Amino acid sequence: MKGERLDKVLARLGLGSRKEVARLVRSGQVQVGGRVVQDPAFPVPPGARLEVNGQSLALRRHHHILLHKPAGYITSRTEGPSVYTLLEGFPTRDLSPVGRLDKDTEGLLLFTTHGELLHRLTHPRHKVEKRYLVHLERPATWEDQKAFRQGLLLDGKQLLPAELTWQEDPTWVELVLREGRFHQVKRMFQARGNRVLYLKRLSLGPLTLGDLPKGQARYLLPEEEEVLYRAVGLFTGT
Ligand code: URA
């Protein structure tokens, strides 16, 4: 069976654009099955061991995939249109989303096969920051900022302090949460008599979307993986 082109495989693994990974290959930093390969078109035999600068890609125990979710997709395997349809070409069998984004919410959605990482990223105890861009029906107020900072009471539950900052137009704000309750952003503004018109998650802990186009997914880079693990007290390789 003929293998897939090396540059295509590396791009899919999140190491950069086809052009960038081709450059990486030509520079002699990539090994296939223990041999340096400098031809980006080299057909990678299925199951071959891939290394970049000595770091093994094929032997990873866990996968973490970053998706730039567009509106209109449901964070569910069974309900459609499902976000999983955007992960074509990735091994999705053991992948779970790290929290959920509503159907009409855009932005950063991480998937992982790592149960403990998932738990730590979503459990309020670890206070992992999630930053949202929010467009509101009416301008947010200083009182909203104060109420969020003190921790709103929502359905009888005390929320963790959240940070609200304004963009130039006061109907556009950023909100940083340290937990992820059901429809939390929308319900927080609803509790303040306002309404969310547009919502995008910009970051999760140290992860941002960078220039990942909407609707596209990629593997986390090794350095992103490392800072993410460190942010929740795990070590790479666990
Ligand atoms: N809060 C919401 O209300 N919706 C989301 O999708 C994410 C956070």
Side-chain angles (χ1 to χ4, degrees), residues 100-102 105 132 177 181 183-187 199:
R100 285 168 201 287
L101 292 181
D102 296 337
T105 301
Y132 292 90
L177 303 184
R181 297 185 187 278
H183 296 325
Q184 183 167 341
V185 176
K186 290 175 185 163
R187 290 195 304 137
L199 185 57

Side-chain angles (χ1 to χ4, degrees), residues 5-230:
R5 282 177 65 110
L6 180 57
D7 55 358
K8 213 169 156 191
V9 174
L10 294 175
R12 188 152 44 75
L13 286 169
L15 290 168
S17 66
R18 284 280 285 277
K19 228 170 159 177
E20 286 163 346
V21 297
R23 216 176 301 133
L24 188 75
V25 173
R26 283 196 204 95
S27 69
Q29 297 179 75
V30 177
Q31 292 181 300
V32 181
R35 272 194 321 121
V36 171
V37 171
Q38 288 182 278
D39 175 10
F42 181 83
V44 180
R49 184 159 49 90
L50 286 180
E51 286 170 323
V52 177
N53 292 321
Q55 171 148 22
S56 172
L57 295 175
L59 295 178
R60 303 155 81 86
R61 277 178 56 196
H62 289 289
H63 296 296
H64 317 290
I65 295 167
L66 195 63
L67 170 68
H68 187 160
K69 179 190 175 296
Y73 289 84
I74 301 177
T75 314
S76 161
R77 257 185 210 280
T78 50
E79 282 177 82
S82 164
V83 286
Y84 282 91
T85 61
L86 300 166
L87 301 182
E88 218 170 284
F90 291 94
T92 57
R93 200 170 55 114
D94 301 319
L95 273 187
S96 302
V98 178
R100 285 168 201 287
L101 292 181
D102 296 337
K103 187 176 178 186
D104 58 354
T105 301
E106 298 184 348
L108 190 157
L109 185 58
L110 180 70
F111 292 82
T112 182
T113 57
H114 194 311
E116 181 59 22
L117 179 70
L118 170 67
H119 173 73
R120 292 187 186 210
L121 286 171
T122 49
H123 198 285
R125 177 155 47 95
H126 293 279
K127 298 190 174 64
V128 174
E129 291 191 349
K130 291 135 193 120
R131 180 179 296 272
Y132 292 90
L133 175 67
V134 192
H135 186 207
L136 295 162
E137 195 170 55
R138 291 182 300 103
T141 64
W142 290 107
E143 286 76 26
D144 294 334
Q145 188 187 53
K146 196 167 150 212
F148 290 170
R149 197 174 274 163
Q150 282 172 352
L152 270 194
L153 206 59
L154 205 61
D155 301 339
K157 285 205 189 80
Q158 178 76 49
L159 298 184
L160 291 172
E163 272 312 313
L164 173 72
T165 49
W166 285 263
Q167 309 274 311
E168 249 167 62
D169 172 346
T171 61
W172 284 89
V173 296
E174 279 191 25
L175 186 66
V176 178
L177 303 184
R178 295 178 180 82
E179 59 197 327
R181 297 185 187 278
F182 187 60
H183 296 325
Q184 183 167 341
V185 176
K186 290 175 185 163
R187 290 195 304 137
M188 284 171 71
F189 282 104
Q190 199 178 24
R192 299 291 308 162
N194 208 334
R195 196 160 73 90
V196 170
L197 303 177
Y198 168 84
L199 185 57
K200 178 179 184 178
R201 180 150 70 191
L202 300 173
S203 64
L204 169 69
L207 298 180
T208 58
L209 284 169
D211 54 10
L212 184 64
K214 203 188 287 185
Q216 300 281 306
R218 65 166 175 81
Y219 283 104
L220 286 191
L221 300 171
E223 56 268 30
E224 287 175 315
E225 207 173 286
E226 203 173 315
V227 287
L228 184 65
Y229 275 49
R230 224 181 300 128

